[in-house]
Amino acid sequence: MNPHDMRPPLGPDSWRLVGLDIDGTLMHWGGEISDAVAEAVERARMCRNHVILATGRNIMGMMPVAERLGIRRGWAVCSNGAVTVRLNPRAAGGYDIVEKVTFNPRAALELIREEMPDAFFAVEDLGVGFLVNREFPAGELVGRQRVASFDELCHDEATRVVIRAPGVDVSHFDDLVHRIGLNDVTYAVGYSAWLDLTPPGVTKASALETLRRQLGVYPDHTVTVGDGNNDISMLEWAGQSAAMGTAPAHVKAVADEVLGSVEEDGIIAVLDRLIDPDRLAVM
């Protein structure tokens, strides 16, 4: 692919919106973001690009990544699109919540509990952590975990629900979700037996589209990069999209381009195309 194919023509006041997944895209599986990737993100941000982290992580999991990348102002999409924040160094915690979309998780959790009684459940407690039916293994959730009864988990509206089913094959998990008919939520199955549920119609793409309209960015001036099932919506949505080399085949199939692996810092190939030394602009 020609390196310029992902660079739409820009007018003198045009900006791009660049939605970037974190885990497996910007961040290596060991939890590190290389200096080369961090520097490429910074250069891209200086060239009329709204670089927006678009992640399944909650706010607390996203903020250290924004700090590592030097992003102190701008926007981020968290919880697979259910929560959008504006980064603001003057605000408590460094961010303001500008949009949150919720749903009642009871029906979905009851279906999952009936089919997988040994599953772990976690309901996002926005800005704090998660309410859980029992504690998840260390490092799997960011924020405080508070053990709660099933009724308490289902009592309030939620932005995101996580189901973890040890020993369940991912393909079986996907089949199960289709069979029990989770029609009132949006879901994404992870690489392991891990299921994220979000409100109906809520995805990374829906949140990015709201930001695109607010920021006045042309649809053709949108670029996204990701590697997982929860990235499919934004890869299909963007004017130009790229999947990481480590992505599953069905994720690569919806992208315009396949990059090198995350371990090879494959995302730099896209970030470098977004840099134009003649169009530097401090965000």
Side-chain angles (χ1 to χ4, degrees):
M1 185 175 185
N2 188 300
H4 295 288
D5 286 350
M6 288 189 67
R7 179 184 293 179
L10 297 175
D13 298 315
S14 297
W15 286 71
R16 301 180 188 89
L17 185 155
V18 184
L20 304 179
D21 174 52
I22 293 176
D23 297 284
T25 299
L26 287 166
M27 179 177 285
H28 296 188
W29 294 115
E32 298 295 324
I33 296 177
S34 73
D35 290 342
V37 167
E39 290 165 4
V41 168
E42 176 63 17
R43 291 196 302 271
R45 292 181 64 242
M46 295 290 287
C47 293
R48 292 189 180 275
N49 295 300
H50 295 289
V51 175
I52 299 173
L53 299 177
T55 180
R57 292 180 172 217
N58 61 11
I59 297 170
M60 289 167 295
M62 177 277 299
M63 287 300 294
V65 178
E67 182 178 354
R68 169 71 178 95
L69 296 172
I71 304 175
R72 300 176 69 239
R73 297 183 183 277
W75 291 263
V77 169
C78 304
S79 302
N80 285 321
V83 179
T84 299
V85 302
R86 183 164 189 170
L87 298 168
N88 176 5
R90 295 185 178 181
Y95 64 88
D96 296 308
I97 297 174
V98 297
E99 184 171 8
K100 65 176 180 178
V101 187
T102 62
F103 73 111
N104 190 296
R106 180 177 293 276
L109 287 179
E110 286 177 345
L111 283 170
I112 296 291
R113 181 177 66 168
E114 182 177 344
E115 292 285 341
M116 294 183 292
D118 295 329
F120 291 70
F121 299 147
V123 176
E124 186 171 51
D125 187 4
L126 197 58
V128 177
F130 293 87
L131 301 180
V132 297
N133 63 334
R134 62 183 187 273
E135 288 195 10
F136 279 53
E140 290 194 350
L141 297 176
V142 178
R144 188 180 73 183
Q145 296 186 42
R146 182 169 71 82
V147 177
S149 68
F150 187 81
D151 282 342
E152 191 175 0
L153 292 175
C154 302
H155 181 265
D156 294 322
E157 297 286 298
T159 49
R160 175 189 174 209
V161 172
V162 175
I163 294 101
R164 180 184 186 274
V168 176
D169 181 77
V170 173
S171 60
H172 172 71
F173 210 169
D174 204 13
D175 291 342
L176 174 65
V177 168
H178 284 91
R179 179 163 57 80
I180 64 180
L182 292 177
N183 297 320
D184 295 330
V185 296
T186 302
Y187 66 89
V189 177
Y191 291 116
S192 61
W194 181 284
L195 177 66
D196 270 307
L197 304 179
T198 51
V202 170
T203 63
K204 293 183 180 183
S206 66
L208 289 173
E209 172 62 13
T210 298
L211 286 173
R212 183 195 69 77
R213 291 173 179 270
Q214 291 176 354
L215 295 169
V217 175
Y218 293 111
D220 286 348
H221 294 171
T222 55
V223 179
T224 57
V225 186
D227 75 308
N229 291 314
N230 61 337
D231 296 317
I232 290 174
S233 65
M234 73 173 186
L235 295 177
E236 293 176 328
W237 164 84
Q240 296 289 335
S241 63
M244 302 300 292
T246 41
H250 65 278
V251 176
K252 294 176 182 177
V254 303
D256 297 312
E257 179 185 11
V258 176
L259 305 174
S261 71
V262 63
E263 291 82 6
E264 298 167 331
D265 291 340
I267 193 173
I268 292 177
V270 169
L271 294 172
D272 281 351
R273 295 171 198 159
L274 302 174
I275 298 166
D276 184 341
D278 296 326
R279 298 178 56 80
L280 289 176
V282 178
M283 294 184 67

